[in-house]
Each structure stands twice: as C-alpha cells, then as structure tokens.
Amino acid sequence: MIQLFISVLLFFVLFFGISFILNMILRQTWLMAFVFPIIVVFIVDTVSFSSYFSEPGTAFSSLGNELTSLGTQDMVILSSGFIGTIAAGFVIRFLRKSGYQMF
C-alpha cells in the first residue's frame, strides 16, 4: 500500500514538473495533456514502435490487450500522472492570468 502511495505521488510530481516546464518553454498550455496518451502507450506496450507502421493490425490488437489487462494499481498510477499534467495546465493558466510572464 505504501508503494502505491509513493508511486502515485512520484508520477504526479514527475508529470506535473515535465508539463510545467514544457508549458513554460513552448507556451502551449495543454500540449502535455495531448502527448500523455502517447507516453502511456510507450510505457504499457511491448511491441516496437516501427511495428505500428509495418504490422498495424497486430500492433494495435496487442496494445488493446495490454491496456485491458492493466491492474487497478497501474491505472491509478497512470491516472495520477495524467492528473499531474492537467494540474500543471491549470497552474500555468492561473499564473499567466495573474500577470506572470514566463519566458
């Protein structure tokens, strides 16, 4: 149980920080929210990236099987990372509305 709590906290902080920095540098507030599903595919999937272009049928069916076979703990951990990206977007929006010009 303690490992789940630490993992959730680490994923939240990790993706919050990455999203905050990318939002600050690229000035695209919700960029990481759209990139996050691609990162989840890289974390979860077992086939190579090139197989999505050479053998799309088997690659996407394998991805579907991997996503449906994720455990509850894995879904909670990955969801905390997504919540971190969303929180970073709201924080950046709030800071920009408050008058802070970041880069």
Side-chain angles (χ1 to χ4, degrees):
M1 190 64 174
I2 192 77
Q3 292 170 346
L4 177 65
F5 176 73
I6 291 173
S7 297
V8 166
L9 187 64
L10 284 175
F11 261 66
F12 180 83
V13 170
L14 175 76
F15 282 104
F16 181 88
I18 292 170
S19 299
F20 191 86
I21 290 170
L22 282 177
N23 289 337
M24 213 168 37
I25 293 172
L26 300 176
R27 299 183 71 79
Q28 299 290 324
T29 305
W30 302 110
L31 176 69
M32 249 329 254
F34 293 111
V35 173
F36 185 78
I38 297 169
I39 294 171
V40 168
V41 167
F42 283 130
I43 292 172
V44 171
D45 203 10
T46 56
V47 298
S48 67
F49 182 71
S50 63
S51 66
Y52 284 103
F53 300 106
S54 62
E55 301 170 5
T58 58
F60 282 109
S61 67
S62 172
L63 175 63
N65 291 336
E66 293 291 329
L67 288 175
T68 56
S69 68
L70 284 177
T72 306
Q73 298 87 359
D74 297 328
M75 291 300 288
V76 168
I77 292 169
L78 291 173
S79 298
S80 70
F82 185 65
I83 292 169
T85 61
I86 299 298
F90 282 118
V91 168
I92 287 286
R93 280 184 53 196
F94 174 74
L95 289 173
R96 285 187 184 141
K97 283 184 181 180
S98 297
Y100 291 97
Q101 296 287 331
M102 291 161 277
F103 297 131

